[in-house]
Amino acid sequence: MSTTTRSRGSAGAGSDADAEGCDLCGLPTPTPPVTGDDVSGEFCCRGCLEITRALGDAASADPETVERELAGGADEVPDDAERTYMAVDGMHCATCEAFVSGTARTCEGVYAAEASYANDMVRVTYDPETADLDGLSGTLARYGYGTRDPEEREAAERSDNQVARFVIGGGVFGMMVMLWYVLFLYPTYVGVQPVVELGVFDGIYILGNIWVMTSIVLFYTGFPILRGALVSLRAGQPNMDLLVSLAATSAYVYSTAAVLVGETHVYFDVTVAIILVVTLGNYYEDRIKRKAAGMLSDLAASRVSEARRRVEGGVDGAGDAVEMVALDALESGDLVEVRPGERVPVDGTVREGTAAVDEALVTGESMPRTKRPGDDVLGGTVVTDRPLVVAVGEDATSTLDRLVELLWDIQSARSGVQRLADKLATIFVPTVLVLAAVAFGWTLFSGGTPTDALLVGLTVLIVSCPCALGLATPLAVASGIKEAASRGIVVASEAVFEAVPDVDVVVFDKTGTLTDGDMAVLRVVGDETAAVAAAAALERFSAHPLATAVVEAAEETGASVPEVSADDVTVHDRGVSGEVDGERVVVGHPDLLRDEGVTLAPVHETAVEAARDEGAVPVVVGWAGRSRAVLVVGDEPRAAWDDVVAAVAEGGRREVVVLTGDSERAARRFRDHPDVTDVFAGVPPEAKAETVERLRTRGTVAMVGDGSNDAPALAAADIGIALGTGTDIAGDAADAVLVGRDIDAIPEVFSLSAGVNRRIRGNLAWAFGYNAVAIPLAALGVLNPLFAAVAMGTSSLLVVANSARSLD
């Protein structure tokens, strides 16, 4: 399946490409648009207006900047350009990201390209007529970067297994090298009799074996590191790979030359140690990073690739004169048919039919909305019960497509500890190289031999090898991940341990996070037994989610549901009616019962208003001309929600914000909590992400959610926390996922992260402190390469020991 979309301008907030779009989220505005006397601009909904009123626009994205980012840095992208996502195996630093982006842009027909080290993907905007994407894959493959479709999970697993073979293979040969050293070479270096006396031929044989096995470790296991060094030189961005490669290859070249001239004091063990330690660290980091790599492909799987377009001259309403076409072939005004259970392919307007449309994936609203001719529908929403004919909107775009673009921009822009290390490398690496060169020159100037000078320079490179620096974060993170798993928390990104202790604002999604998220009958006002049984008898013939909740309530209470013939049931826009045990029963919206001649009793009128005030949905049941009961349907708050909010707020140290796509009434109950600072209701997903961006002006923001519509907001936040019972898309966009339905673990995310953060800082302090002491000693000739390797190994072991300590 191709993950290609038509490029149609910005998907960002407030884009100039859509002058009539919402000033907050960029969605189309109604006619007339939502406005406020005290707020400038036009908005798509009341939620966007309230967010702008409360938070202002200080942090909103500059439209021109968003447009340039979405275009991948291109000055101008034609309207007929297409955009595709390709997974790239082998990126393990920011330099790889820059190299892949630059290489892709040099290909003919490619307008723009952005590689993302954060999710192992590259987004390419190209001319479908002239671009050769296969050629691009071939070019990247020559440098060791494999490309594939993001949905090819098996290919990803094969790549992961290949990395494992690199690590295991290098470990086997590395152990063989070290065995020769322990048995034969190390004893002679310290003046001890070796296990076996060596003759001339034996020495040549042993050193030859060591050289061969070291070569395999360096050039086979160390290939990704050597490639990273080469790429850093081509990109003009020196990174840690360059320093590691210089240290490893310098020891290898020096030792090879020493063997050729008959010396036995060689440093192949240094090469092996450097390569294996760094490779293991990189392998571990890749394993963590891969957990988040499927986010965009999972979301793309929910997108529609084809549509049923009516052929000119077809019979209206018959649905028999249609053709399946790609979405790129749709134009404004085309009529497309959407059957029950299918997703609406693009944004548009209902032309024929009436149906309940589930917008949960796109807007987050827990209740499906009934759409009639003239109503707008969003691409990516699901028609639940009856078919619709939709007229394609002006730009033939999909709201779900915009979510894909929004997720890419947010996720690929996130930086982590490794990005920081690579930035430090641009200073650290040249500094070490200069120090090594100065030490080499000073030794010669001071009367030392060329061999002595080479050893001093080599020692500086070896002792400064950033193994401890490279392991400082991954090993502390490993300990944190293990501890988190034991507490029911799956950590998908090391960003959790970096940023959570500094969080200032915690944003909770309402539906499915603070509430159960499942529609259920909360209570019955009136004759419960008879009303539930009669309602379930009719609702079995409706596919509406409210109907499902009523049927489940009957099953849970054990009510005796009468048998009803489908011929006796009529499904209305707002309910159902039919004959039950000889009595005509009407179930549904209060207005439907009134239209059918059923009078609502005062107690039931009161119950209807009470249900609406709490954000629930009243389903009225009536027969014989009068109402018999009101079934209150909704999702209840989780039992522990108020305690969790209080714990996270930490006595007012953090602000707590509740964000939801539901109505103001549905969110009203959460305003009364003393630790809740703001409640924003009726917020579309694009606005959720923008709201998080604006809240970041108040400090570091954590977002807690569970739905696909929360994914952009989870990615936009400094920290995203998703419930394990939510969608895969939300989990992939998050930095931490809570296993199970309970939210009690949320406060533990904060306490655990604080401990790991302290561990990371301690490791980094040791790593930098070690380099500050060891490098000057090496430059002064106090250390030789062997002791430099021992010092480097000791430093790494201390980091390992510190990381392995219990967090309690």
Side-chain angles (χ1 to χ4, degrees), residues 304-315 318-331 333-339 342 345 389-390 392:
V304 182
S305 59
E306 294 182 317
R308 292 186 183 86
R309 181 174 63 184
R310 281 192 174 175
V311 180
E312 185 177 355
V315 181
D320 57 347
V322 297
E323 61 178 351
M324 296 299 296
V325 298
L327 292 192
D328 293 341
L330 293 179
E331 297 180 357
D334 284 350
L335 298 181
V336 297
E337 295 184 0
V338 188
R339 298 175 183 177
E342 295 180 345
V389 176
V390 177
V392 176

Side-chain angles (χ1 to χ4, degrees), residues 508-517 638 641 704-707 710 721 723 741 743 746:
F508 285 94
D509 169 63
K510 181 189 77 69
T511 305
T513 304
L514 295 180
T515 66
D516 288 331
R638 295 181 186 268
W641 81 270
V704 186
D706 79 317
D710 300 324
I721 303 172
L723 301 190
R741 294 186 60 86
I743 58 175
I746 293 177

Side-chain angles (χ1 to χ4, degrees), residues 174-370:
M175 286 188 292
M176 294 173 66
V177 169
M178 301 310 297
L179 180 62
W180 288 117
Y181 263 90
V182 170
L183 293 177
F184 302 109
L185 297 184
Y186 286 150
T188 62
Y189 292 169
V190 296
V192 177
Q193 188 71 21
V195 176
V196 179
E197 283 290 340
L198 298 178
V200 176
F201 176 78
D202 295 328
I204 295 174
Y205 173 77
I206 290 173
L207 291 174
N209 271 276
I210 292 176
W211 178 82
V212 170
M213 289 181 286
T214 303
S215 300
I216 294 174
V217 172
L218 177 61
F219 298 110
Y220 176 74
T221 303
F223 171 74
I225 299 172
L226 299 177
R227 180 196 59 202
L230 176 62
V231 165
S232 74
L233 292 175
R234 290 177 62 92
Q237 297 181 10
N239 62 0
M240 291 299 182
D241 282 343
L242 179 59
L243 187 56
V244 171
S245 297
L246 284 173
T249 55
S250 296
Y252 175 82
V253 170
Y254 176 87
S255 300
T256 301
V259 170
L260 293 177
V261 298
E263 294 286 339
T264 58
H265 213 91
V266 292
Y267 301 100
F268 290 117
D269 55 336
V270 173
T271 298
V272 169
I274 291 173
I275 293 297
L276 291 184
V277 169
V278 175
T279 298
L280 284 171
N282 288 340
Y283 174 67
Y284 176 78
E285 182 189 6
D286 289 341
R287 293 280 297 185
I288 294 176
K289 187 157 61 73
R290 193 173 293 281
K291 293 181 180 180
M295 179 184 59
L296 290 174
S297 58
D298 284 342
L299 187 55
S302 299
R303 299 159 73 188
V304 182
S305 59
E306 294 182 317
R308 292 186 183 86
R309 181 174 63 184
R310 281 192 174 175
V311 180
E312 185 177 355
V315 181
D316 286 347
D320 57 347
V322 297
E323 61 178 351
M324 296 299 296
V325 298
L327 292 192
D328 293 341
L330 293 179
E331 297 180 357
S332 178
D334 284 350
L335 298 181
V336 297
E337 295 184 0
V338 188
R339 298 175 183 177
E342 295 180 345
R343 294 191 184 277
V344 178
V346 294
D347 297 351
T349 304
V350 176
R351 185 65 60 85
E352 300 173 18
T354 301
V357 177
D358 183 356
E359 300 181 334
L361 177 67
V362 177
T363 69
E365 292 203 19
S366 55
M367 279 299 304
R369 289 187 173 185
T370 300

Side-chain angles (χ1 to χ4, degrees), residues 666-730:
R668 185 173 298 169
R669 71 184 76 175
F670 300 100
R671 291 188 183 277
D672 298 330
H673 195 288
D675 291 308
V676 174
T677 307
D678 292 297
V679 175
F680 297 118
V683 184
E686 289 92 342
K688 285 185 179 182
E690 181 65 14
T691 302
V692 169
E693 290 289 351
R694 297 192 180 197
L695 285 169
R696 291 177 72 183
T697 60
R698 299 181 179 179
T700 303
V701 176
M703 171 74 189
V704 186
D706 79 317
S708 299
N709 66 90
D710 300 324
L714 288 167
D718 297 284
I719 291 297
I721 303 172
L723 301 190
T725 52
T727 66
D728 290 339
I729 300 170

Side-chain angles (χ1 to χ4, degrees), residues 652-669:
R653 191 183 80 80
R654 299 189 182 97
E655 297 182 37
V656 176
V657 175
V658 177
L659 203 59
T660 178
D662 278 346
S663 65
E664 172 65 29
R665 285 182 170 182
R668 185 173 298 169
R669 71 184 76 175

Side-chain angles (χ1 to χ4, degrees), residues 12-14 18-36 39-52 347 359 362-363 365 369 371 376 378 399 402 661 681-688 690-691:
D18 184 5
E20 298 180 356
C22 174
D23 282 1
L24 180 72
C25 67
L27 288 177
T29 57
T31 304
V34 177
T35 59
V39 179
S40 61
E42 299 179 346
F43 305 93
C44 64
C45 61
R46 189 77 185 174
C48 289
L49 170 63
E50 292 300 328
I51 290 170
T52 303
D347 297 351
E359 300 181 334
V362 177
T363 69
E365 292 203 19
R369 289 187 173 185
K371 298 293 184 178
D376 293 332
L378 302 176
T399 296
R402 287 196 290 269
V683 184
E686 289 92 342
K688 285 185 179 182
E690 181 65 14
T691 302

